[in-house]
Amino acid sequence: MSQISSTAQVKRELRFLRRESYMRGYAKSALSSQFRDASAFDAFYAALTDERKDEFLRVGSSYLFLVKQGNWHVEVEGSNPVIDYFTNSFKLVSLFSLIESLSSEKHRDFYEWLGHVGEEIFPIANKAAIKQLHERYKATFGSIRRCVAFFEHLSSRQQAELCNSIQFDGTPVKSIKEVAQFLYNLRSKFVHEGELVLDIANVPVMSRHKNVNTLIELSTPKLFEAFEEGVVAYFNHAT
């Protein structure tokens, strides 16, 4: 059985919904901040189809264990068991994995995408040409596009607060797209280069990114709040 058909079979089984008796409690614990009370959560959940309930339970429970109540523990003599920038690095990767998992678009590698664009692009003349193609790929099919779409569903208030939390050369970023791209780049630096995420902390952090002075005032609770709002907005939008 192919990977695609296997994934489809898992979805048909509604494996999270079959464990609704406790999965619902996990999702409620993870996302209750977005509802005025228990009855509001119940009404939101009841309005979802079975397939959407299954997806909601998957995301909510995964977020609770991997991020909101999950920490990366270190078992090294003389070390603290939980080190903020270690655990925050893994949490940021988990957040973006969950965001990407909410998209119905199948991931396609850049080189695979090149093969589907058409023969008119070959031969690729130089580095400038390949860079233009890569920008085109990111805009139409890259993972960052899915992540930007998630952040664009946040309320205007939430978007403004996130934009104001990131400054480049003393100026807050102008769009939520820049916020999503900046955070995704932090995630990618850790995934691909082992560069720990130091910028997301409970105190303001000054650093340099791409030869630009940055001031980041984005704490993990604030990032979690934005993610939780985005999850609920996604399911409201998709219902």
Side-chain angles (χ1 to χ4, degrees):
M1 184 179 290
S2 69
Q3 183 178 358
I4 295 176
S5 61
S6 296
T7 301
Q9 180 65 33
V10 168
K11 287 185 177 181
R12 283 196 295 271
E13 290 174 356
L14 303 176
R15 59 195 181 96
F16 289 89
L17 189 59
R18 286 193 287 109
R19 298 170 174 83
E20 184 181 34
S21 60
Y22 55 91
M23 285 293 177
R24 177 169 170 163
Y26 293 152
K28 187 175 183 178
S29 176
L31 301 166
S32 61
S33 66
Q34 299 303 307
F35 302 92
R36 69 178 181 274
D37 52 32
S39 62
F41 176 89
D42 293 341
F44 167 85
Y45 184 78
L48 301 174
T49 64
D50 282 354
E51 288 76 13
R52 304 303 290 172
K53 285 178 181 176
D54 188 72
E55 188 76 341
F56 180 74
L57 296 177
R58 177 189 68 80
V59 173
S61 60
S62 296
Y63 166 64
L64 180 68
F65 284 94
L66 289 173
V67 182
K68 192 166 187 176
Q69 298 298 335
N71 283 311
W72 177 265
H73 282 259
V74 177
E75 296 184 2
V76 178
E77 186 177 352
S79 171
N80 291 331
V82 176
I83 300 172
D84 285 350
Y85 52 88
F86 281 178
T87 199
N88 289 346
S89 298
F90 286 101
K91 286 183 178 186
L92 188 64
V93 172
S94 297
L95 278 181
F96 274 96
S97 294
L98 291 172
I99 290 171
E100 290 183 62
S101 76
L102 288 170
S103 173
S104 59
E105 294 182 9
K106 177 180 175 292
H107 174 71
R108 181 176 291 176
D109 178 82
F110 174 56
Y111 297 102
E112 180 186 1
W113 176 82
L114 282 177
H116 286 79
V117 170
E119 295 183 358
E120 72 275 4
I121 68 168
F122 298 103
I124 300 173
N126 49 44
K127 289 183 179 179
I130 196 71
K131 183 177 181 180
Q132 287 181 346
L133 285 167
H134 193 252
E135 290 299 319
R136 179 177 163 191
Y137 160 77
K138 289 194 295 182
T140 59
F141 214 88
S143 297
I144 187 61
R145 177 172 176 265
R146 292 178 284 177
C147 297
V148 169
F150 177 89
F151 281 90
E152 286 177 340
H153 281 110
L154 297 175
S155 65
S156 57
R157 176 194 62 81
Q158 190 72 258
Q159 290 190 34
E161 290 179 2
L162 289 174
C163 288
N164 288 328
S165 72
I166 301 174
Q167 294 183 24
F168 296 151
D169 283 336
T171 303
V173 298
K174 295 181 174 59
S175 70
I176 197 65
K177 180 179 180 180
E178 289 183 80
V179 173
Q181 289 175 327
F182 178 77
L183 294 174
Y184 190 83
N185 287 339
L186 292 181
R187 166 258 181 214
S188 298
K189 282 284 187 180
F190 176 61
V191 170
H192 301 298
E193 301 175 27
E195 189 171 313
L196 293 164
V197 176
L198 305 177
D199 299 82
I200 299 174
N202 293 324
V203 295
V205 177
M206 296 188 69
S207 58
R208 284 181 67 82
H209 291 275
K210 297 182 179 179
N211 297 319
V212 174
N213 293 321
T214 64
L215 174 62
I216 313 301
E217 298 179 281
L218 180 58
S219 65
T220 49
K222 181 59 183 175
L223 181 58
F224 296 169
E225 176 191 304
F227 174 79
E228 291 165 23
E229 181 183 307
V231 168
V232 174
Y234 169 83
F235 283 95
N236 275 327
H237 180 75
T239 302

